Amino acid sequence: MEIDRVEAFVAIVRGRGFTRAASALHLSQPAVSRRLDLLERELGAPLFERIRTGVILTEAGQAFLPHAEALLASMRDGIEAVRGLEGPDRGAITLALVGTLASTTLTGYLRGFREAHPHVQLRLRTALSDEVSALVRRGDAILGLRYDTDPHPDLVAKVIHDEPRVVVCSPRHRLARARQVEPAMLAGEPWVGFPARAAGPEEPYGTSLRQCLAACGLGTAEIIAIDSLTAQKRMVEAGFGLGLVPESSVDEELRARTLRVLRVPAMRVTIPVALIHRRRAYLSGAARQLIEVLSAKPAPAGSPRTPHGH
């Protein structure tokens, strides 16, 4: 079985059709179709069902996909192992992470790593937690930073930080100068948060607001769905609602006094942040050093501090 045929199969899956697969592989569509035909002959079963909107995996395709992805990941591991012979400060590392973890604090850690390893190419990809895990399992990313651990047997997951979240409001809010706020005082207040996902696993970060409100007897509160953390902060600044955000993500706004932190003891919540990699992956010296950097830091998305604004 030739690797390029397996690559074509996986490219069709990820591109959801032949057009994007051909573009990704820099091939013509007939060439991609030919590779798939040869692979299906080798396997003795069709891997896709052609439908009007594209293709869907057959039962055989679903059974073959995880093995195909593992094969390609293993091949990339072999390439990295050979490159690793050049020295620990060579090669490339792809880090997949949830976008809300890309705080200025984490950026500083990564910048320090890059300065210490100028010949290592550090690539970043953002995705939701379950997508981060998928990228790592497929070998498209060497390391991943996600919310909560992942029990998948092909992954090693280590919680490296419990990220604190704080309630924020506009400086003009009626409770902005309150020394302490009880949940009952927030009755009727609208909130700004991430929308619920229509399909796929819920993002732990997105569900924590709804869970927290329900636990405080505020389960019927209106939530204005905004799918960007930056946009959420701007909406809170403008007085459209309250927010429950990562403490580290509002450093600049608190310094500029465009947001204030409400002390709500009943809504003190944290979310575990996990560093993941494939269990059988080849980890270069540089990748192991990056793991040490991220694991040693007390807070890849910011460290617990006394809330500002009081």
Side-chain angles (χ1 to χ4, degrees), residues 8 27-36:
L27 296 170
S28 65
Q29 288 191 44
V32 173
S33 296
R34 174 63 176 168
R35 291 184 180 186
L36 178 64

Side-chain angles (χ1 to χ4, degrees), residues 144-145 158-162 272-275 291 294-300:
L145 280 174
K158 175 185 177 183
V159 174
I160 59 173
H161 171 57
D162 287 313
V273 176
L275 178 63
I291 289 174
L294 296 175
S295 300
K297 296 299 180 183

Side-chain angles (χ1 to χ4, degrees), residues 200-238:
E202 280 278 6
E203 177 65 57
Y205 177 89
T207 60
S208 63
L209 172 60
R210 295 189 291 275
Q211 294 171 346
C212 190
L213 290 174
C216 291
L218 302 171
T220 59
E222 176 191 3
I223 298 179
I224 302 170
I226 305 291
D227 62 2
S228 160
L229 180 59
T230 299
Q232 288 178 21
K233 293 188 290 184
R234 300 295 87 83
M235 293 288 283
V236 174
E237 287 174 339

Side-chain angles (χ1 to χ4, degrees), residues 242-260:
L242 304 177
L244 183 65
V245 300
E247 188 179 41
S248 65
S249 73
V250 290
D251 280 346
E252 295 180 7
E253 290 82 3
L254 295 178
R255 282 195 296 268
R257 299 186 177 182
T258 59
L259 286 177
R260 293 185 66 102

Side-chain angles (χ1 to χ4, degrees), residues 16 38 58 66-67 78 82 85 95 106 109 159 161 164 248 252 259:
R16 299 181 180 179
L38 292 171
T58 62
H67 301 284
V82 173
L85 296 176
L95 172 66
L106 175 61
Y109 298 159
V159 174
H161 171 57
S248 65
E252 295 180 7
L259 286 177

Side-chain angles (χ1 to χ4, degrees), residues 81-272:
V82 173
R83 289 176 177 169
L85 296 176
E86 299 175 4
D89 289 335
R90 304 284 176 178
I93 302 173
T94 300
L95 172 66
L97 71 159
V98 179
T100 51
L101 289 173
S103 67
T104 54
T105 306
L106 175 61
T107 303
Y109 298 159
L110 296 178
R111 182 175 62 247
F113 175 83
R114 188 176 62 180
E115 291 173 351
H117 306 276
H119 299 295
V120 176
Q121 185 178 5
L122 183 58
R123 304 166 183 159
L124 301 181
R125 295 186 62 171
T126 58
L128 298 176
S129 289
D130 61 307
E131 294 167 345
V132 167
S133 289
L135 287 168
V136 173
R137 286 199 310 271
R138 296 197 308 246
D140 290 338
I142 300 298
L143 304 174
L145 280 174
R146 55 160 292 157
Y147 291 113
D148 280 347
T149 59
D150 189 325
H152 196 284
D154 292 342
L155 294 176
V156 174
K158 175 185 177 183
V159 174
I160 59 173
H161 171 57
D162 287 313
E163 181 183 83
R165 303 186 69 190
V166 293
V167 178
V168 293
C169 68
S170 164
R172 300 177 298 280
H173 192 275
R174 62 184 178 85
L175 297 173
R177 297 189 178 278
R179 295 183 62 84
Q180 185 167 301
V181 177
E182 298 299 326
M185 300 167 67
L186 301 176
E189 292 282 348
W191 293 77
V192 177
F194 283 93
R197 295 186 67 187
E202 280 278 6
E203 177 65 57
Y205 177 89
T207 60
S208 63
L209 172 60
R210 295 189 291 275
Q211 294 171 346
C212 190
L213 290 174
C216 291
L218 302 171
T220 59
E222 176 191 3
I223 298 179
I224 302 170
I226 305 291
D227 62 2
S228 160
L229 180 59
T230 299
Q232 288 178 21
K233 293 188 290 184
R234 300 295 87 83
M235 293 288 283
V236 174
E237 287 174 339
F240 282 88
L242 304 177
L244 183 65
V245 300
E247 188 179 41
S248 65
S249 73
V250 290
D251 280 346
E252 295 180 7
E253 290 82 3
L254 295 178
R255 282 195 296 268
R257 299 186 177 182
T258 59
L259 286 177
R260 293 185 66 102
V261 171
L262 293 181
R263 295 182 183 273
V264 190
M267 299 187 75
R268 289 177 179 267
V269 294
T270 61
I271 301 180

Side-chain angles (χ1 to χ4, degrees), residues 34-106:
R34 174 63 176 168
R35 291 184 180 186
L36 178 64
D37 288 341
L38 292 171
L39 179 61
E40 289 178 328
R41 289 182 189 178
E42 286 184 294
L43 294 172
L47 299 174
F48 292 102
E49 177 184 346
R50 277 71 168 176
I51 59 175
R52 191 176 52 144
T53 57
V55 295
I56 58 175
L57 285 168
T58 62
E59 185 177 3
Q62 293 174 2
F64 184 63
L65 178 59
H67 301 284
E69 291 177 333
L71 175 63
L72 296 181
S74 180
M75 181 184 69
R76 283 191 288 270
D77 283 345
I79 293 172
E80 290 301 319
V82 173
R83 289 176 177 169
L85 296 176
E86 299 175 4
D89 289 335
R90 304 284 176 178
I93 302 173
T94 300
L95 172 66
L97 71 159
V98 179
T100 51
L101 289 173
S103 67
T104 54
T105 306
L106 175 61

